Amino acid sequence: MPKSIFKELKIYEKENQKEFEKIEEEAEKELSNQNIPEDILNIFFEFHDGNIKELAQNGEDIVLTIETEEEQIKIVNFKNGVFLENEIEEYTKKDINEYCVWLYYELYKRNDKYELHILIQKEEGLKYVTIKCDNIQNVIERN
């Protein structure tokens, strides 16, 4: 690559980095202004790289069972939950006995309801799940 093109590329990269940082700052500000109780925020902190064992409709609620990296089983109940988006729907009708890893999440509070966006890794690629609910409860923790 000619030096002149490389120099232009470096300038372009710097500009993109500044724009990316600006977007991240705005997103962080938006997420921190959600007025979500601390106990609900704390539920999801240990879920990164956890193995999702179940994510299913249970009557009016949605139940999530996840095994954390520390091999703790955690069960979370989403009161009056509905799936707004569910790219792993074929797995949510039964126990998930295969590779299904929680990667990242974002939690929002809109009109007194919670909206949880989850990025999941499956063997065939990345999947996305969005749950809307009235309340989120940490039901159980066990080793």
Side-chain angles (χ1 to χ4, degrees), residues 42-130:
N42 291 338
I43 291 173
F44 305 104
F45 284 149
E46 298 175 23
F47 288 9
H48 181 71
D49 288 341
N51 190 22
I52 298 172
K53 298 293 192 181
E54 180 184 24
L55 181 62
Q57 195 78 45
N58 185 8
E60 293 182 356
D61 300 341
I62 293 174
V63 176
L64 164 72
T65 304
I66 189 167
E67 182 179 6
T68 68
E69 280 193 300
E70 293 78 28
E71 298 181 352
Q72 289 185 318
I73 300 294
K74 300 204 176 199
I75 300 172
V76 178
N77 193 45
F78 300 91
K79 298 298 286 178
N80 295 316
V82 293
F83 289 104
L84 298 181
E85 185 171 15
N86 187 357
E87 293 183 348
I88 63 166
E89 185 172 7
E90 68 269 20
Y91 304 102
T92 59
K93 299 185 185 342
K94 59 184 179 211
D95 286 344
I96 303 170
N97 291 318
E98 52 190 69
Y99 185 79
C100 188
V101 176
W102 176 295
L103 292 179
Y104 300 103
Y105 76 98
E106 291 178 353
L107 181 62
Y108 301 94
K109 191 166 185 183
R110 297 189 174 121
N111 302 325
D112 292 329
K113 296 207 181 268
Y114 295 97
E115 206 172 282
L116 177 67
H117 299 251
I118 312 166
L119 182 63
I120 296 169
Q121 176 70 52
K122 294 284 297 155
E123 287 178 358
E124 63 272 14
L126 297 175
K127 303 292 182 179
Y128 201 73
V129 172
T130 304

Side-chain angles (χ1 to χ4, degrees), residues 6 34 40 50 57 79 82 113 136 138:
F6 184 73
Q34 292 295 310
I40 290 177
Q57 195 78 45
K79 298 298 286 178
V82 293
K113 296 207 181 268
I136 303 171
N138 193 10

Side-chain angles (χ1 to χ4, degrees), residues 26-36 41 105-108:
E26 289 172 9
E28 185 62 37
K29 198 182 302 184
E30 176 69 25
L31 288 172
S32 66
N33 288 331
Q34 292 295 310
N35 196 27
I36 298 171
L41 286 173
Y105 76 98
E106 291 178 353
L107 181 62
Y108 301 94

